[in-house]
Structures are given as C-alpha cells and as structure tokens.
Amino acid sequence: MDSARTVAEAIGMEDGIITVVGSNEEVKARIAQPDRAIDLEGKAMLPGFFDGHMHLLSYGYSKSMAYLDGCKSIEDLVQSVNDHILEHELPAGTWVEGRGWNEEAYPEKRLPNRHDLDRVSADHMIVLGRSCSFSCVVNTRTLRELDLYDNPPRPESGMVEMGSDGHPTGIFVGEATHLIYSRMPRLGVAGIKKSILTACRDYVKAGITSVDTDDFELTRAGTFREILQAFFELDAEENLPIRIREMLFLPTRELLEDFLTLGYKTGDGSPFFRIGSFKMLTDGSLGTRQAALMEPYADDPLAMGAVIQSQAELSVLMRRAFESGLDLVGDGMGDRDLYVAEGLRTLGEGESGQGSAILHRSLPDYYRRDHRRIQAAESDGRLRTGFCRFRYRYRRRAGGCSSGVPFLQLEALLRARRNRHGRFRQSCGTL
C-alpha cells in the first residue's frame, strides 16, 4: 500500500519478508521456484495491521475471567459472576476475577460494593476490575483474607473507600488497586506463556500481526523478569505468531535500575520479540475521576484528579532511561500532566535518534483550543462545558487491552491519528 494506492497482482516472500510486489510475471521472474504458492482466487490481500498500544498479557489473561463488559446493571454483574463460578466449577476458597464493569451505564447510579459481591459468594475471594483498570471492587471475604477489613490501609496515592461502619466498602481506586492485585496468586512463567498465546491467537484471527504492548503492569502475573522470560522462551521456541515490542513499565527507580542490569536497550531482540520503550504513568482515568485536570470535574467540584508522580520524580526516571538507550512513552489522561509532554519533547530533541510519544491523550490541548470540534463532539457529563470526550470512543473494549476497539472491527484501526513533530509523537485516539 503506497500513497498512490497501487493495486498489484502478486507478492513474493523470502524468509518471511516481502521482497517483491508486482504482476504475476514480475514475481515469478524474481522467485522462479517457490516452496509454496497460494492462489487467493481474486480476493484482496492487505498488509498485517499494527496495534500501537495494548496489553497483550492482560488481554489473554482476561479471557479466563468473568466477562462483565455487557452488564447493564449491578444485578447483571452479580448474575454474570455467579454464572462464571458455576460454569467453571470454581471451588470454595479460590480466587474469582472479572473485568469490564462500568457503573456509568447502570440504572443504580452507584458503584458496586462488597455487599453486592457478598450476594454472589462468601466462600470465594472475588475481585472485579472496572473497564478502565483504574478501579476494582472486592467482596468481604477478600478483605478478610488480605487482613484489610479490620485494618484498612491509607495509601499515599489512590483511594480506599470507607463505609459508615468503619470498614472498607470494597472499592479501591487508582494506585490503591495494587493493595489487592499485588497480593493475589501469581501466574508464573507457564501461566504467563499460556495467556500470551491466548491473546496472540485472537490477534492473528483479526489480521493484527504486530503490537506494542505493556505487560509489566500486570503485577499479579509475576515480576518483569518472569514476563520477559516467558516472551524470550516463546520466541526461542518459535511459538510467537505475531511481532511484539514490549513496553517497559518500571515505575520506581529500583525497578528501572534492576532492569538496566540486564543490559537491554530499545530495539534489542529478534524479529518477533524486541525491547520497546520505557513507559511512565502520570495519572488515572477520567471514569474514576483520577485523570489530573486543570479544572474541577463538573459533577464533583472538589475533585481535580491526581498526579501519580511528581515532575521531579518523573524527570529523574526519564533522564536515566533515555540516557540508557531507551525510548520514552507516557500515559497522559488529563490536561494537568502536560509537563510530561514537555519533558518528552525536550529529551526527544537530542541527537541520539531515539523517539518519544504520549499515549492516551484524553484531553489534548489543541482540541481545547478548537471550539468547533469541541461543540461538535459528544460531551461527557463529568467534564465542564467546553471539554470533550475523546477517550473510549468504542463501547466494547478488547478484554482489558488499551486498543479500545472490538476485534474484527478493523475499520476503527484506520481512524488512528498520529501527529508527528520531528521525533515527538502525540497519539490522540489511542488504539
């Protein structure tokens, strides 16, 4: 596919690489005796699609969870989790996970809480993640199992909602979700490999042949070393059916330094698995009011979101990663964390040839200046008049990945827009 939209009759491949495109005669002249010839019988063939930001491991793992994306109410959620337990015959005392609930669409007009989940089971540890992954709800059994019921934590970042009885309601928001996920049983290398391959099979079916993925964020899978080991083993076994670049979510100096002892730089690896960019997380999601805004949320004048790390902390990590040969990317949901963009832009102006990017730009500054686009866009009830909702345009999310689109609706991928300013890239509608 070129700028002239040239249509060719045939392609020739050698060692997995397309080496010639043209007429049947041209291709046969280049590869006279092919090992294999495939007749498409007049059907069109397109290049494989590239997913620029997703969570491959998280998506694959989510396929084993209770599917909550289609729930229309808290009652639906309760029934779906109960059905999941019965269908999979999960014994008492085991963990039950789900993903995809979104209270904004529920007629109850409230978050699900531990009392709702207690109706499902008092004998299982139940953990259900919101569609944005920045919030989760657990039942009373989970709180007791983790000794959080009588000893509620007070996290430095994020929020543990407390009830009038002095005990947690079961709702954990932002960084506080790690108080739950970090203490759940790990998948281990074997379980990680299984989840990766589960996701890859769906991607191959959808015609997506290469991805940039952030998998270190799934702390309940294992350490970043275990996740890397799983990918390297799959690659060595020649079991990876798609090309993968692994983003490096290492949110502390200790984790970054540990990774750097391995000696990897962005681009290292094989054709099917490479080390990607160092990723920073600056704030939370709009849906949980954790995206850092310049102005208060319309439905909560006291809320402006929260910045997860200070500019000074991020600058230290960014500089260390960049000078160690790693490209930089940063998740920026709100508009108050634009200093990350400036930091990326400054580092990206170096002469090393490395690149930087911003993902999840929910409220891009240039959209705020374009009043015609703002008036034409669908407004979000959480944001004051004049703001727009540019994130989560597609209702069905791909099982916990960041693509925001359903598989096989590949026309959505073609709507991705990316502005380039030298080496600095800003992703407006992240896919």
Side-chain angles (χ1 to χ4, degrees), residues 151-171:
N151 300 289
R154 305 190 191 291
E156 293 183 4
S157 180
M159 184 266 291
V160 177
E161 185 178 87
M162 300 298 297
S164 57
D165 59 359
H167 299 291
T169 64
I171 298 169

Side-chain angles (χ1 to χ4, degrees), residues 18-36:
I18 296 175
T19 55
V20 57
V21 179
S23 66
N24 290 330
E25 290 71 21
E26 290 171 329
V27 172
K28 288 178 180 178
R30 173 69 179 270
I31 307 176
Q33 295 181 327
D35 296 325
R36 184 184 181 194

Side-chain angles (χ1 to χ4, degrees), residues 90 122 140 144 176 216 274:
L90 301 178
T140 303
R144 292 189 183 279
F216 293 178
R274 295 186 185 277

Side-chain angles (χ1 to χ4, degrees), residues 70-292:
C71 293
K72 304 298 184 183
S73 66
I74 291 176
E75 290 303 314
D76 276 357
L77 181 148
V78 169
Q79 187 62 52
S80 294
V81 179
N82 185 67
D83 291 345
H84 178 78
I85 293 174
L86 294 176
E87 178 183 351
H88 295 275
E89 300 180 345
L90 301 178
T94 58
W95 289 83
V96 178
E97 292 188 71
R99 174 73 188 273
W101 59 268
N102 185 348
E103 81 288 352
E104 292 183 357
Y106 297 166
E108 293 91 347
K109 300 301 180 183
R110 65 173 177 84
L111 295 166
N113 56 45
R114 65 180 174 91
H115 302 295
D116 299 311
L117 273 55
D118 289 346
R119 292 161 47 202
V120 177
S121 175
D123 299 321
H124 297 80
M125 285 77 74
I126 302 176
V127 183
L128 308 180
R130 194 177 186 274
S131 59
C132 64
S133 82
F134 281 94
S135 180
C136 70
V137 58
V138 304
N139 65 344
T140 303
R141 172 68 186 271
T142 301
L143 293 173
R144 292 189 183 279
E145 186 76 15
L146 301 181
D147 194 26
L148 301 176
Y149 184 76
D150 292 315
N151 300 289
R154 305 190 191 291
E156 293 183 4
S157 180
M159 184 266 291
V160 177
E161 185 178 87
M162 300 298 297
S164 57
D165 59 359
H167 299 291
T169 64
I171 298 169
F172 291 72
V173 180
E175 292 296 285
T177 58
H178 295 299
L179 296 169
I180 303 296
Y181 291 129
S182 65
R183 299 176 63 185
M184 295 176 64
R186 297 290 189 265
L187 295 181
V189 173
I192 293 171
K193 292 169 70 174
K194 179 181 178 181
S195 294
I196 291 169
L197 292 177
T198 296
C200 285
R201 282 191 288 270
D202 279 0
Y203 262 56
V204 169
K205 291 178 184 177
I208 301 172
T209 59
S210 57
V211 301
D212 270 12
T213 176
D214 168 19
D215 299 307
F216 293 178
E217 51 84 29
L218 192 65
T219 55
R220 60 191 180 281
T223 66
F224 78 81
R225 287 176 176 267
E226 290 175 311
I227 294 171
L228 283 177
Q229 179 183 341
F231 275 112
F232 282 129
E233 288 184 5
L234 288 171
D235 188 27
E237 297 160 359
E238 298 185 351
N239 283 330
L240 290 175
I242 63 175
R243 292 175 172 82
I244 297 167
R245 277 187 15 130
E246 182 62 47
M247 295 183 193
L248 312 172
F249 178 54
L250 303 162
T252 67
R253 182 65 182 266
E254 292 75 20
L255 285 172
L256 175 58
E257 294 298 338
D258 188 13
F259 173 82
L260 293 178
T261 63
L262 300 176
Y264 296 124
K265 296 179 174 60
T266 296
D268 288 348
S270 75
F272 277 83
F273 181 72
R274 295 186 185 277
I275 299 299
S277 303
F278 175 71
K279 176 183 174 180
M280 295 147 291
L281 185 65
T282 60
D283 61 352
S285 70
L286 289 169
T288 58
R289 299 190 189 88
Q290 293 292 300

Side-chain angles (χ1 to χ4, degrees), residues 406-425:
F407 281 122
L408 303 180
Q409 290 190 2
L410 294 181
E411 70 275 8
L413 289 169
L414 301 178
R415 299 173 191 167
R417 290 177 292 179
R418 176 164 286 181
N419 291 337
R420 296 181 181 272
H421 306 284
R423 301 188 193 94
F424 179 82
R425 306 186 301 277

